[in-house]
Amino acid sequence: VGDFRYFVYYPQDLKCRHIRKSAPRTIMHKSEKKKSAFLKPKRSIFKRSEYKRAQKAKVFGLTTTTGLQHICHVPSRLDSKTWVKVLHRRVGPFMKNAFPNRSTSTILLDGETLLHTDEAKAAMKAEGLRVLPDWPAHSPDLNPQENVWAWAEPQLRKAEAKADTFAKFKQRISEVCHKYPSGEKL
């Protein structure tokens, strides 16, 4: 299974506010939602000029049925030509190493249009990858890679240090995702 995910890096002066304002959501009764302690702030956490200082790291994650994982950073503005390069350089070789006795492998990718362009389909075929057809986009119950992202986000925030740079943040994404407890097979 494979999927894309954005992780947001906040500069040091914005990290504290992000942690304070992005409290986890809770399940509550309708009457509790109107109490002042539970109301969401009416304004966003950051001003637009501040949010522009935050940087996004986009990654593609792949988890095999045997529990092996591959995380690769991709450009934030990914087009089909760049995706084809990632397929040939990273995804195809990983799958061949993961399943050396197979000439083809079936991969589950959600309905993101970039993954299903004609160029991408041709590259997948050349790498011996077949995609399960008609899979819905953003399907956390159906795509186990979404569970990796849900687990990795809080772990990444715990591991984050105040003085981290964006480069160190990107490195930590891979480290944290590889620690996902995927001992059981999909």
Coordinates of all heavy atoms in Angstrom, one line a residue, residues 9 12 21 23-24 31 34 39 48 52 95 105 111 114 129 139-141 159 165 169-170:
Y9 N 6.5 21.7 9.0 CA 7.5 22.2 9.9 C 7.2 23.6 10.4 O 7.0 24.5 9.5 CB 8.9 22.2 9.2 CG 10.0 22.9 10.0 CD1 10.6 22.3 11.1 CD2 10.4 24.2 9.5 CE1 11.6 23.0 11.7 CE2 11.4 24.9 10.2 CZ 12.0 24.3 11.3 OH 13.0 24.9 12.0
Q12 N 10.8 27.9 15.1 CA 10.9 27.8 16.5 C 9.9 28.7 17.3 O 9.3 28.3 18.2 CB 12.3 28.1 17.0 CG 12.6 27.9 18.5 CD 14.0 28.1 18.8 OE1 14.9 28.4 18.0 NE2 14.3 28.0 20.1
K21 N -2.3 25.4 20.7 CA -3.6 25.6 20.1 C -4.1 24.3 19.4 O -5.3 24.2 19.1 CB -3.5 26.7 19.1 CG -3.2 28.0 19.7 CD -4.4 28.6 20.4 CE -4.0 30.0 20.9 NZ -5.2 30.7 21.4
A23 N -4.8 21.2 20.3 CA -5.1 20.1 21.2 C -5.8 19.0 20.5 O -6.6 19.3 19.6 CB -5.9 20.7 22.4
P24 N -5.7 17.8 21.0 CA -6.4 16.7 20.4 C -7.9 16.9 20.6 O -8.4 17.4 21.6 CB -5.9 15.5 21.1 CG -5.3 15.9 22.3 CD -4.8 17.4 22.1
S31 N -24.3 19.3 24.8 CA -24.3 20.4 25.7 C -22.9 20.9 26.1 O -22.7 22.0 26.4 CB -25.1 20.0 27.0 OG -24.4 18.9 27.6
K34 N -20.9 23.7 23.8 CA -21.1 25.1 23.9 C -20.4 25.7 25.1 O -20.4 27.0 25.3 CB -22.6 25.3 24.0 CG -23.3 24.9 22.7 CD -24.8 25.2 22.7 CE -25.3 24.7 21.4 NZ -26.7 24.8 21.3
L39 N -14.8 25.4 23.3 CA -14.9 26.1 22.0 C -13.6 26.3 21.3 O -12.6 26.6 21.9 CB -15.6 27.5 22.3 CG -17.0 27.5 22.7 CD1 -17.4 29.0 23.0 CD2 -17.9 26.9 21.7
R48 N -1.7 34.9 8.4 CA -1.3 34.4 7.1 C 0.2 34.6 6.9 O 0.9 33.7 6.4 CB -2.1 35.0 6.0 CG -1.8 34.5 4.6 CD -2.6 35.2 3.6 NE -3.9 34.6 3.7 CZ -4.7 34.2 2.7 NH1 -4.3 34.5 1.5 NH2 -5.9 33.7 2.9
K52 N 3.0 31.4 6.3 CA 3.9 31.3 5.2 C 5.3 30.9 5.5 O 6.0 30.4 4.7 CB 3.9 32.7 4.4 CG 2.6 32.9 3.6 CD 2.7 34.2 2.9 CE 1.4 34.5 2.1 NZ 1.5 35.8 1.3
M95 N 10.5 -2.4 -4.4 CA 9.6 -3.5 -4.6 C 10.3 -4.7 -5.1 O 10.0 -5.9 -4.7 CB 8.4 -3.1 -5.5 CG 7.5 -2.1 -4.9 SD 6.7 -2.7 -3.4 CE 5.6 -3.9 -4.1
S105 N 4.1 -7.1 -9.1 CA 3.5 -7.0 -7.7 C 2.3 -6.1 -7.9 O 2.2 -5.2 -8.7 CB 4.5 -6.3 -6.8 OG 5.6 -7.1 -6.6
G111 N -7.1 7.0 -4.7 CA -7.5 7.6 -6.0 C -6.9 8.9 -6.4 O -7.5 9.6 -7.2
L114 N -2.7 12.0 -9.8 CA -1.4 12.0 -10.2 C -0.8 10.5 -10.3 O -0.1 10.2 -11.2 CB -0.5 12.7 -9.2 CG 1.0 12.7 -9.4 CD1 1.4 13.5 -10.7 CD2 1.7 13.3 -8.2
L129 N 4.7 -3.2 -11.7 CA 3.8 -2.9 -10.7 C 2.4 -2.8 -11.3 O 2.2 -2.2 -12.3 CB 4.1 -1.6 -10.0 CG 5.5 -1.6 -9.3 CD1 5.8 -0.2 -8.8 CD2 5.5 -2.6 -8.1
S139 N -8.8 7.1 2.1 CA -9.6 6.1 2.7 C -8.8 5.4 3.9 O -8.2 4.4 3.7 CB -9.9 5.0 1.6 OG -8.8 4.6 1.0
P140 N -8.9 6.0 5.0 CA -8.1 5.5 6.2 C -8.4 4.1 6.6 O -7.6 3.4 7.1 CB -8.3 6.5 7.3 CG -9.5 7.2 6.9 CD -9.6 7.2 5.4
D141 N -9.7 3.7 6.4 CA -10.1 2.4 6.8 C -9.6 1.3 5.8 O -9.6 0.2 6.1 CB -11.6 2.3 7.0 CG -12.1 3.2 8.1 OD1 -11.3 3.5 9.0 OD2 -13.3 3.6 8.1
A159 N 9.5 13.9 19.1 CA 10.9 13.8 18.9 C 11.5 15.1 18.4 O 12.7 15.3 18.5 CB 11.2 12.7 17.8
T165 N 16.2 22.3 12.5 CA 16.0 23.0 11.2 C 15.1 22.2 10.3 O 14.7 21.1 10.7 CB 17.4 23.1 10.5 OG1 17.9 21.8 10.2 CG2 18.4 23.9 11.3
F169 N 14.2 18.2 10.4 CA 12.8 17.8 10.5 C 12.5 16.8 9.4 O 11.9 15.7 9.7 CB 11.9 19.0 10.3 CG 10.5 18.8 10.3 CD1 9.8 18.5 11.5 CD2 9.7 18.7 9.1 CE1 8.4 18.3 11.5 CE2 8.4 18.5 9.1 CZ 7.7 18.3 10.3
K170 N 13.0 17.0 8.2 CA 12.7 16.0 7.1 C 13.4 14.7 7.4 O 12.9 13.6 7.1 CB 13.3 16.6 5.7 CG 12.3 17.7 5.2 CD 12.9 18.3 3.9 CE 12.9 17.4 2.8 NZ 13.3 18.0 1.5

